[in-house]
Structure formats: structure tokens, C-alpha cells
């Protein structure tokens, strides 16, 4: 589903008596989030990203603007009617409930408008199908045994997992005790008998419906005399809930933790439970507010890959809020960079990295960050101090000071070029395998230390070197507006 936000704003009212001013948390934001994509809202603390997410969720009311889910305007629709799944920063699991209950909780009182189905016939047909491969069925039950002893509970769980069936169906399959019949002829006769009984039962149920002029279609839905499927509004059955909980638990890979309480799980597992709970109602959109912030560095990387996989498997449009640019760049299809309530730029991570619109975005994306120098545009090119770093220029900026940003991978060691280059003093050399990170200094540099990445084959020492600058890794910005200016 597509999410469209149009001119969205949120102003938190201040209190003049206490001299607290209004806060413009979100300022005229327009974003188009495409169907089936993972979108990251990225920005520093306080930039308005969570407020934007809460407004999409319907948990905060916009001061201005519109929110659309496909062709439906949801700006004033109650949160519970929007079809969203929300994962909070701190998971917000119920500590006294086990994982199964935590996940099933949103379903317990849920009323659904659904087509009426004849579940009994469906399970009898499926049962006959499974009985056709009685060897496999018995093997599943026998494989659940521990020390040659078969426990009913374990066997039923094995059946549920293998065939994705409800507990009551699994219990029935087990209750035939077919795995105890050793003689093949006896076994086949017994299977035949059960299948015939099932067919008879199916016919009996169908007949009862026919008397009421109702038929059952090939997918086991009830259809009226006009061949329309019959609808009903009802609670989900225990079996339906069980199927949904297990399906989503499998998706997030916590199917073997269902009996545990949240405190018995790791942070990563708790996060999976929170995601499962948000997904179990099959939402139209999944919203995640800094979902990885409580995890340690290693788990963050693993869990972010998991979120990407789950999003791709379900195809649910997912919005992910984070202040960590690396996280957003690594998993998002699209990112929206925000600052002070405004969208600074949006697009594919790589496009934004290669083409930042302004200094803020250039500085916010990339590790190590971009190196920014004070520069000057002259008739014959761009200068940093008295060195010419490029012959490109912008004629509207002749003799004007600018900011020159150069990505860490934009420097080539080149001591012999008389014409172009920048001289930098090496302070520290860190080998990271294929690459080497150099920490350097320069009088016109605008931050603490310059970081550049070069090939490890270069033999460098603590000294001053002259580097050539790759023109596609260099961006020039207006000193006042900090917007990017073109150079050619
Ligand atoms: P963080 O990463 O720190 O969570 P954020 O980018 O998600 O930050 P928001 O929580 O959206 O930022 O807050 C945006 C601005 O709105 C901040 O200046 C914040 O102080 C302010 N703000 C948020 N909620 C309220 C509120 N209920 N009342 C007043 N101001 C608020």
C-alpha cells in the first residue's frame, strides 16, 4: 500500500504563562512512500521523525495536512481503524504473559468480517489427503519420540508444524493411533475405513446445507443460490488464532519460544515478538520507531537484516524511524532525511549519497563522514587555501567563499601533479585490511579531523602528502544557504 503525506505539520502548543514557546515538530512535510517498500525516516534527535510516524499511525493528531493510504484519506481516521502494526522503541510487551499470549492478544477480541467457511469439510478433505501418504504421517509422529517414547503433546506439535494445521485437527490425526499398527494390510484397511467414513460425513454435511439452498464451493466457502459467497461478522476461533500466531512466529523465527515469558528472552528475541505482535493482524502498513536502539551493536546488524527479510517476505509497506544513517542506508529502499521538522531530501540511499542537495544531507550520510573545507571559487577553478583542487567552477560564484565537501574515498595520492591537489598532514594511519583510514589535518578544514580512505598498498608515513580530488566525490555548497551549487 502506498502512503502519501501531504503538507503535514505538527505544532505542540507552548505555555505563554511559563514562557514556553510553541514547538514546530513537523513543518509542512510531503512524502510519497511506495507500495511494498521499506522506507527509513532518518535524522538527528528532535528532528520530528517520531512525531511524523505517530501521525501516520493515528496516535498523534496533525495540526495541518493530509495522510492517504492508497486512495483513502486517513487523516482523521481512528488509529485502530487504519490497519497499522506499530513496534515501539521499548517493545512494550506484557511481562506477565508468555510469548504466545503476547502475540495472540491483539486477536482475542478482534471481530472480523469474513466469508463463511465450512471448516469441518475442509479438514476432512485435508485429512483424507494426508492419509494418502500414511507413511509420512506416521514418520512425523515417530520422529517426535524421545528415547523411543512418543508423547502425545510433542507429537501433536510436530504435526502442527509439519502440516500447518490447527491443534484440534492434529489431535484428531493423532487419536487414530495409526503409528501403532505394524501390519501393512491392517494399516491400509484402517486408513481406507477412515477415509470412507470421512467421505460419508462430508456428504451428510453437504446435504444439510442443500436443504437450506446453500452450496459449498471448491475452497469450502458457503455460497447462496445466486452463487455469492456468504459473509459473516464474528470473532476468530481458537484454531484460527492458533494458525495465525504460529504463522507469524515462524516468520520472525521465534516458534520455539512461545511458552517463555518476555524476561526469559534476549533483547533480539523480544524485538521479534514485538514485530510478530504488530504483524499478526495482517496490517496494511508496519511502523517501527527506532526498533533497534535497545540492542547491542552485533544484534543490531543481525536484527536489521531480519527486518529487511520480514518486510520482503510479507510485502508490507514498512516505515522505519532511526537516527542511525548506516542502519537506514543498509536496509531501506528509500530514505527520507529530516532536520528541524523539514524534509531535507528523499530518495534511494545511494542516490542521496552520490547527490546530496545540501550540506546537512552531505554531512549526515556516510562513514567516515564527508570532509568539509572552507573554499574559494576563482576564475580558473576551486581553491582551498592557495591550492587549486579543481578546474571546475560556477560563474555566479567567482571570488565567493564556499564550502567544499569531499568524501573520504575521494582522494588519490598524487604528489607530482603541479596543477591540481590538496596538501594534507597525516596524523594517524589505521589499517582495516583492504583499506587504510588516514586521519589528517589542514588549516581550512571545518571539523575536528579529516578522515580519508585509501588503498592499503600505499606505503605512507606520518608526513604531509599532496592528494588529487575525484570530481564526482566533491560537492560545493553556498556558504549562507548551505544548498549545493553546480560546478562545471
Ligand atoms: P528522537 O530521535 O530524540 O526521538 P525525533 O526526531 O523522533 O527525536 P520528535 O520526538 O518527533 O523527534 O520531536 C520533535 C520535536 O517536538 C522535539 O523538539 C520535541 O521536543 C518536540 N515534542 C515532541 N513531543 C512533544 C510534546 N508532546 N509536547 C511538546 N513538544 C514535543
Amino acid at each position: 500500500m502506498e502512503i502519501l503525506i501531504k503538507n503535514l505539520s505538527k505544532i505542540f502548543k507552548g505555555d505563554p504563562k511559563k514562557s514556553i514557546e510553541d514547538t514546530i515538530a513537523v513543518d509542512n512535510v510531503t512524502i510519497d512512500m511506495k507500495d511494498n517498500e521499506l522506507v527509513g525516516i532518518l535524522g538527528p534527535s528532535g528532528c520530528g521523525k517520531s512525531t511524523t510516524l505517530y501521525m501516520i499511525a493515528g496516535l498523534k493528531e496533525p495540526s495541518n495536512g493530509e495522510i492517504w493510504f492508497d486512495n483513502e484519506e486517513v487523516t482523521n481516521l481512528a488509529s485502530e481503524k487504519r490497519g497499522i502494526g506499530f513496534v515501539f522503541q521499548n517493545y512494550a510487551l506484557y511481562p506477565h504473559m508468555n510469548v504466545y499470549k503476547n502475540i495472540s492478544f491483539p486477536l482475542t477480541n478482534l471481530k472480523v468480517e469474513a466469508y463463511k467457511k465450512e471448516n469441518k469439510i475442509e479438514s476432512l478433505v485435508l485429512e483424507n489427503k494426508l492419509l494418502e501418504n500414511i507413511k509420512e504421517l506416521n514418520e512425523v509422529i515417530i520422529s517426535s519420540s524421545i528415547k523411543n517414547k512418543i508423547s502425545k503433546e510433542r507429537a501433536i506439535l510436530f504435526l502442527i508444524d509439519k502440516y500447518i494445521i490447527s491443534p484440534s485437527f492434529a489431535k484428531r490425526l493423532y487419536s487414530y493411533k495409526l503409528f501403532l499398527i505394524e501390519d501393512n494390510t491392517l494399516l491400509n484397511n484402517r486408513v481406507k475405513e477412515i477415509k470412507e467414513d470421512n467421505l460419508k460425513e462430508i456428504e451428510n454435511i453437504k446435504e444439510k446445507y442443500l436443504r437450506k439452498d446453500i452450496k459449498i464451493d471448491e475452497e469450502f466457502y458457503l455460497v447462496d443460490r445466486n452463487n455469492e459467497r456468504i459473509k459473516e461478522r464474528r470473532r476468530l476461533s481458537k484454531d484460527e488464532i492458533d494458525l495465525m500466531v504460529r504463522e507469524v512466529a515462524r516468520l520472525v523465527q521465534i516458534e520455539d519460544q512461545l511458552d517463555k515469558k518476555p524476561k526469559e528472552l534476549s533483547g533480539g528475541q523480544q524485538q521479534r515478538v514485538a514485530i510478530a505482535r504488530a504483524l499478526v493482524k495482517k496490517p496494511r502498513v508496519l511502523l517501527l520507531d527506532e526498533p533497534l536502539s535497545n540492542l547491542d551493536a552485533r544484534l543490531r546488524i543481525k536484527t536489521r537484516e531480519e527486518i529487511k527479510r520480514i518486510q520482503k517476505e510479507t510485502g508490507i509497506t514498512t516505515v522505519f524511524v532511526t537516527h542511525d544513517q548506516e542502519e537506514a542506508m543498509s536496509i531501506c529502499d528509500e530514505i527520507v532525511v529530516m532536520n528541524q521538522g523539514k524534509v531535507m531530501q528523499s530518495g534511494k540511499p545511494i542516490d542521496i549519497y552520490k547527490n546530496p542537495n545540501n550540506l546537512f544531507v552531505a554531512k549526515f550520510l556516510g562513514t567516515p563522514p564527508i570532509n568539509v573545507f572552507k573554499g574559494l571559487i576563482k576564475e580558473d577553478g576551486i581553491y582551498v587555501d592557495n591550492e587549486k583542487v579543481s578546474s571546475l567552477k560556477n560563474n555566479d560564484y567567482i571570488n565567493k567563499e564556499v564550502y567544499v565537501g569531499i568524501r573520504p574515498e575521494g582522494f588519490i595520492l598524487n604528489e607530482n601533479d603541479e596543477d591540481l591537489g590538496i596538501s594534507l598532514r597525516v596524523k594517524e594511519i589505521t589499517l582495516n585490511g583492504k583499506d587504510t583510514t588516514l586521519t589528517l589535518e589542514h588549516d581550512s578544514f571545518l571539523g575536528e579531523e579529516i578522515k580519508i580512505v585509501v588503498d592499503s598498498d600505499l606505503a605512507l608515513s606520518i608526513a604531509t602528502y599532496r592528494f588529487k580530488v575525484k570530481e564526482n566525490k566533491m560537492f560545493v555548497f553556498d556558504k549562507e544557504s548551505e544548498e549545493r551549487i553546480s560546478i562545471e
Side-chain angles (χ1 to χ4, degrees), residues 25 44-49 340-341:
S45 178
C47 73
K49 50 195 188 302
Q340 296 185 339

Side-chain angles (χ1 to χ4, degrees), residues 350-361:
I350 188 69
D351 293 343
I352 300 187
Y353 182 79
K354 283 186 173 168
N355 257 317
N357 283 346
N358 50 60
L359 186 62
F360 177 84
V361 172

Side-chain angles (χ1 to χ4, degrees), residues 12-13 23-26 43-52 60 89 289-290 321-323:
F12 291 107
K13 288 270 166 242
T23 305
I24 307 174
V26 176
S45 178
C47 73
K49 50 195 188 302
S50 298
T51 307
T52 305
K60 278 195 174 132
Q89 201 167 7
D289 186 13
E290 299 255 4
V321 157
T322 179
H323 62 269

Side-chain angles (χ1 to χ4, degrees), residues 46-210:
C47 73
K49 50 195 188 302
S50 298
T51 307
T52 305
L53 195 77
Y54 275 68
M55 287 194 280
I56 299 172
L59 298 169
K60 278 195 174 132
E61 207 182 313
S63 311
N64 252 313
E66 296 171 11
I67 302 167
W68 291 76
F69 286 0
D70 280 343
N71 296 322
E72 184 191 355
E73 187 180 356
V74 299
T75 320
N76 299 309
L77 193 67
S79 181
E80 64 276 12
K81 292 194 177 146
R82 291 190 188 192
I84 54 132
F86 201 98
V87 178
F88 294 90
Q89 201 167 7
N90 56 2
Y91 323 138
L93 297 176
Y94 305 112
H96 57 286
M97 290 184 189
N98 67 17
V99 169
Y100 186 99
K101 290 248 169 67
N102 261 288
I103 299 175
S104 65
F105 190 75
L107 300 176
T108 40
N109 283 318
L110 186 71
K111 286 250 180 80
V112 288
E113 181 98 34
Y115 290 117
K116 252 184 165 169
K117 211 173 192 189
E118 191 20 76
N119 296 321
K120 183 76 192 172
I121 294 189
E122 185 179 25
S123 69
L124 289 169
V125 169
L126 180 60
E127 184 172 301
N128 276 6
K129 212 173 135 212
L130 295 184
L131 287 171
E132 269 168 31
N133 194 351
I134 181 64
K135 203 165 152 250
E136 182 189 88
L137 187 68
N138 281 344
E139 274 167 9
V140 173
I141 295 176
I142 291 163
S143 70
S144 74
S145 56
I146 297 176
K147 291 187 185 156
N148 283 335
K149 268 191 86 178
I150 293 175
S151 99
K152 184 177 166 186
E153 284 70 31
R154 225 173 112 79
I156 287 170
L157 276 181
F158 269 56
L159 288 169
I160 291 173
D161 269 354
K162 168 77 187 173
Y163 297 117
I164 321 225
I165 52 178
S166 66
S168 56
F169 187 0
K171 267 184 210 157
R172 188 177 145 117
L173 278 178
Y174 179 87
S175 70
Y176 295 131
K177 303 263 172 88
L178 296 169
F179 55 93
L180 296 177
I181 307 176
E182 282 172 12
D183 182 275
N184 254 341
T185 319
L186 284 181
L187 178 64
N188 287 336
N189 285 342
R190 177 72 187 119
V191 167
K192 204 169 151 215
E193 210 173 270
I194 298 170
K195 281 167 75 176
E196 279 169 5
D197 285 349
N198 286 348
L199 288 175
K200 265 187 224 151
E201 204 177 340
I202 292 172
E203 282 317 306
N204 284 342
I205 301 172
K206 278 188 175 170
E207 234 166 72
K208 266 190 219 156
Y209 278 111
L210 266 181

Side-chain angles (χ1 to χ4, degrees), residues 447-463:
E448 303 249 304
E449 48 193 21
I450 304 165
K451 293 252 185 220
I452 75 171
V453 180
V454 294
D455 200 304
S456 291
D457 289 341
L458 293 176
L460 296 168
S461 55
I462 307 293

